[in-house]
Amino acid sequence: MVRAIMHGCNGKMGQTITGICKEDTGIEIVAGIDLYDGVPNDYPVFQTISQCDVKADVIIDFSNAKAVDDLLEYAVERQLPVVLCTTGLSEEQLQKVEATYEKVAILKSANMSLGVNTLLELLKKAALVFAPAGYDMEIVEKHHNLKLDAPSGTAIALADSMNEALDGKYNYVYDRSQVRQQRDKYEIGISAVRGGNIVGEHEVFFCGQDEVIEFKHTAYSKAVFAKGAVEAAKFLAGKPSGHYDMADVIAAK
């Protein structure tokens, strides 16, 4: 059984992951890290990761950017792989993550959902079929009204997946209203919708003459990201240093 430290255990995602691990015989949360101690857990909780002396195989991180520097230092010192899910890292922190890949295994992905990451692979194949045949490619993403960034990182990852398969020949257009001109052949349009409490919805269209092919992923709760993180942790335990992502998790299944 994989023994995991939950970094950010008392947040919404930390508690969701804790619940999932209770039902999964392949993984166990053996310790948690969180400044807030008002949540009862079946494992010991430390305010900082440097205080944690519990033996583990992997760290799952859903905390905040301020805690990531100490997390990386701890991971290198203890040689513990990290599933790094915290967003909003500074350029300096991202560079530190890059350097840490050489010292310990880190899994960092634009989206932790198994469904989205499977979709990324499907889109590569679809783009190779439809783009050379003259089909236009468009992405529409929808999220809740509290989301600050637009387009979403997942929407960009979807576009990147298609563009990578097509040798990077396509430009991204985020707002067509800014330029009144006909759509260029080598474009991927990305549109963002923000409203209500939409967890996450991504639609990808391949639009040709007389037919439209649509790929769609809908997240009904954040549990899909938590489940992906748990699968990633089970995969990452025992792996050598390097940069891993959810594509590696899917390929190993």
Side-chain angles (χ1 to χ4, degrees):
M1 177 181 289
V2 173
R3 297 163 298 180
I5 295 172
M6 185 65 237
H7 193 239
C9 64
N10 289 340
K12 289 183 179 179
M13 291 301 292
Q15 285 297 292
T16 301
I17 289 171
T18 295
I20 291 172
C21 290
K22 285 182 179 179
E23 304 298 324
D24 191 325
T25 58
I27 188 169
E28 177 187 9
I29 304 295
V30 294
I33 315 297
D34 209 297
L35 287 172
Y36 177 64
D37 61 1
V39 178
N41 290 292
D42 296 333
Y43 48 78
V45 177
F46 303 87
Q47 287 199 323
T48 65
I49 196 163
S50 61
Q51 297 171 336
C52 182
D53 56 0
V54 178
K55 188 175 181 180
D57 303 307
V58 66
I59 304 169
I60 305 174
D61 168 66
F62 265 104
S63 57
N64 61 72
K66 292 180 180 179
V68 167
D69 291 324
D70 288 343
L71 166 66
L72 295 176
E73 291 174 7
Y74 181 91
V76 171
E77 178 185 341
R78 300 294 181 98
Q79 282 298 287
L80 279 178
V82 180
V83 179
L84 184 61
C85 302
T86 293
T87 58
L89 303 184
S90 67
E91 286 300 321
E92 183 179 351
Q93 286 178 310
L94 290 172
Q95 291 174 9
K96 189 170 183 178
V97 172
E98 290 282 342
T100 307
Y101 291 147
E102 301 176 5
K103 303 173 183 177
V104 71
I106 297 180
L107 190 147
K108 187 175 184 297
S109 194
N111 188 299
M112 297 306 296
S113 161
L114 291 171
V116 165
N117 283 277
T118 301
L119 179 59
L120 289 171
E121 295 303 311
L122 293 173
L123 289 176
K124 290 179 182 179
K125 297 178 181 179
L128 287 172
V129 173
F130 297 120
Y135 286 62
D136 298 319
M137 296 180 289
E138 295 283 324
I139 298 171
V140 177
E141 58 96 345
K142 304 173 185 177
H143 284 87
H144 53 85
N145 58 20
L146 298 178
K147 187 170 178 62
L148 299 179
D149 57 321
S152 68
T154 298
I156 295 173
L158 294 172
D160 287 344
S161 182
M162 294 187 290
N163 207 12
E164 178 186 332
L166 299 168
D167 300 322
K169 294 186 296 186
Y170 285 70
N171 297 313
Y172 303 162
V173 176
Y174 301 114
D175 185 358
R176 296 196 183 281
S177 68
Q178 299 299 308
V179 182
R180 294 182 60 81
Q181 63 185 30
Q182 184 177 343
R183 186 190 197 285
D184 186 77
K185 177 181 178 181
Y186 295 102
E187 285 181 3
I188 299 176
I190 306 177
S191 303
V193 175
R194 296 289 175 267
N197 63 348
I198 302 171
V199 175
E201 184 176 295
H202 294 83
E203 297 172 284
V204 182
F205 302 92
F206 293 90
C207 307
Q209 295 297 316
D210 303 317
E211 70 172 350
V212 175
I213 297 89
E214 178 181 350
F215 293 81
K216 181 177 180 180
H217 178 273
T218 302
Y220 292 104
S221 79
K222 291 186 177 181
V224 297
F225 311 121
K227 291 175 183 175
V230 170
E231 292 301 314
K234 291 191 288 185
F235 162 82
L236 199 64
K239 290 293 187 295
S241 60
H243 177 202
Y244 300 84
D245 58 27
M246 289 300 291
D248 298 309
V249 179
I250 292 169
K253 287 188 172 296

